[in-house]
Amino acid sequence: MDTPSPMLIGAEALERLVRDMFAAAGCDMAEATDIASHLVGANLAGHDSHGVVRVPRYIDWMRAGYVFAGKQPQIVTDGGAFALLDAQFGFGQSAAKRATALGIERARQHGAAIIALRNAGHVGRIGHYAEQALEEGLISIHLVNVAGSSLVAPFGGVERRFSTAPFAIGVPLTGRPVVLDFATSRVAEGKVLVASNGGKPLPPDALIEPDGRLSGDPHTLYGDYEPVGPRLPGGGSGAIRAFGDHKGSGLALMCELLAGAFTAGGCSGPVEGRSRIANGILSIYLSPKHFGTEAEFQRMGRDYVEWVASSRPAVPGEPVLLPGEPEARNRADRLARGIPLQPDTWAGIVQSAASLGVQAPQL
């Protein structure tokens, strides 16, 4: 069966619609704007898995009482250069934005800072927070887990044990900033969600069935589902695979231990007694100015990344790209041409908007 062609939607109109939806659902305008800007920003960067495809799910979570509007992160422990915040199950986009701002402030003061955040709603694309720190000239490292979300099988296993456990690093090199951002799973759960809505197909080895067979079928994760409607990650009997075999599996384990257990927000499992999922983040911020190496760091770093990027391409005409450069290219292209959404994804958003009394634009 042919995959339907995506629809192109202007970023400004899409962000306005998503903002109005969350405002109608009970968020104040500042929070609704934060959520909408982040989600549309993920689409602009080419990470559709963390973009507006998640809007209906977020609205459902609000209605179920799994995530709350208007919650401010509370400081649990404050040691100056380190702090632990509790998001109180508020929206992750606003909670993580504030946690990152605190990390920036403390790193400017002390030269380095460690900020932990627990009990946050889905925080979205982690590279967004690395970019937030980059704008202030800071290096940042982010380890993330999802408490209560067992989706990924460990290397050598078939049963779910890890969350998708993202990891990101931002390095502020003038003129050529580097942002590494990836899930420790073979694919993010959001990419399975996009594929289930008729988007980009999954690699044929992205998922694993209980009998060990590899799969690229979203039904492995979700079970049965309608063309337009919710996808339940617990509905299927299979799991997502870790990327890079033992390497991704080991990194996922460390994300669970440091972002989940260390923050006391909880790991991906066991999940008995949990009614919701929540993100935990352990972030490290470093100020090159305070370390006294900024000039050398900039010179050596730029020389090195230019040298790396100058490697002769394996495919003529396709140069080596540094982490963060594909996102920058996507952003420029999609701002100019529009954001591509699969018809089923758009239909789900329109349906969710209608339930809130919000009129979606006619396309």
Side-chain angles (χ1 to χ4, degrees):
M1 183 175 64
D2 292 337
T3 300
S5 298
M7 313 161 71
L8 291 174
I9 304 173
E12 185 176 336
L14 185 57
E15 184 171 332
R16 185 167 53 249
L17 169 63
V18 174
R19 181 202 65 199
D20 291 348
M21 288 176 67
F22 283 101
C27 296
D28 65 30
M29 193 54 68
E31 183 170 53
T33 298
D34 280 345
I35 298 167
S37 175
H38 184 109
L39 292 176
V40 173
N43 286 108
L44 286 173
H47 292 274
D48 297 322
S49 58
H50 288 64
V52 298
V53 69
R54 292 182 176 269
V55 169
R57 182 180 289 182
Y58 283 9
I59 297 296
D60 288 345
W61 284 349
M62 286 186 74
R63 288 171 171 155
Y66 294 159
V67 65
F68 302 106
K71 292 288 188 179
Q72 296 292 324
Q74 300 297 307
I75 294 180
V76 178
T77 304
D78 192 342
F82 65 89
L84 169 63
L85 283 69
D86 193 308
Q88 305 183 88
F89 303 106
F91 271 97
Q93 283 80 7
S94 51
K97 178 181 178 180
R98 287 170 172 79
T100 302
L102 180 63
I104 291 168
E105 175 191 327
R106 297 295 175 86
R108 282 174 168 170
Q109 182 180 355
H110 301 286
I114 301 173
I115 305 295
L117 176 69
R118 71 186 185 198
N119 295 331
H122 185 251
V123 297
R125 185 175 76 91
I126 309 305
H128 179 94
Y129 309 109
E131 291 166 354
Q132 186 179 341
L134 283 181
E135 291 175 359
E136 306 299 329
L138 299 180
I139 297 166
S140 65
I141 304 167
H142 309 269
L143 294 90
V144 185
N145 90 310
V146 192
S149 175
S150 296
L151 295 175
V152 182
F155 177 62
V158 297
E159 295 177 313
R160 304 177 183 196
R161 290 295 184 268
F162 303 139
S163 65
T164 54
F167 178 77
I169 301 177
V171 180
L173 296 177
T174 303
R176 202 154 194 180
V178 180
V179 179
L180 179 69
D181 175 21
F182 56 77
T184 53
S185 51
R186 179 74 170 79
V187 294
E189 187 265 331
K191 293 190 184 300
V192 188
L193 182 61
V194 169
S196 76
N197 281 318
K200 183 179 179 180
L202 298 174
D205 61 348
L207 311 176
I208 188 167
E209 295 281 0
D211 61 3
R213 288 182 297 112
L214 303 185
S215 168
D217 182 356
H219 291 89
T220 297
L221 193 70
Y222 297 135
D224 293 333
Y225 52 80
E226 296 296 325
V228 177
R231 308 289 191 256
L232 301 177
S237 58
I240 307 174
R241 298 178 69 212
F243 90 87
D245 297 329
H246 63 285
K247 298 176 182 177
S249 187
L251 185 54
L253 176 64
M254 295 305 171
C255 286
E256 293 291 345
L257 291 175
L258 296 179
F262 178 66
T263 66
C267 299
S268 60
V271 296
E272 289 80 3
R274 293 192 68 100
S275 61
R276 56 161 66 90
I277 66 168
N279 274 135
I281 311 177
L282 183 68
S283 298
I284 301 167
Y285 300 88
L286 303 171
S287 169
K289 290 182 180 179
H290 287 75
F291 278 75
T293 63
E294 185 171 34
E296 292 84 356
F297 164 63
Q298 288 293 337
R299 180 181 61 79
M300 292 179 180
R302 285 198 304 269
D303 285 350
Y304 183 67
V305 298
E306 294 290 349
W307 184 63
V308 169
S310 72
S311 176
R312 181 162 52 88
V315 178
E318 296 184 11
V320 173
L321 296 177
L322 300 174
E325 290 183 339
E327 287 82 355
R329 290 186 175 190
N330 283 326
R331 196 171 290 117
D333 178 67
R334 291 184 172 194
L335 279 171
R337 297 194 311 115
I339 293 172
L341 292 181
Q342 291 303 128
D344 287 350
T345 297
W346 176 246
I349 294 170
V350 170
Q351 187 179 86
S352 184
S355 74
L356 294 164
V358 175
Q359 179 67 47
Q362 296 296 317
L363 302 179

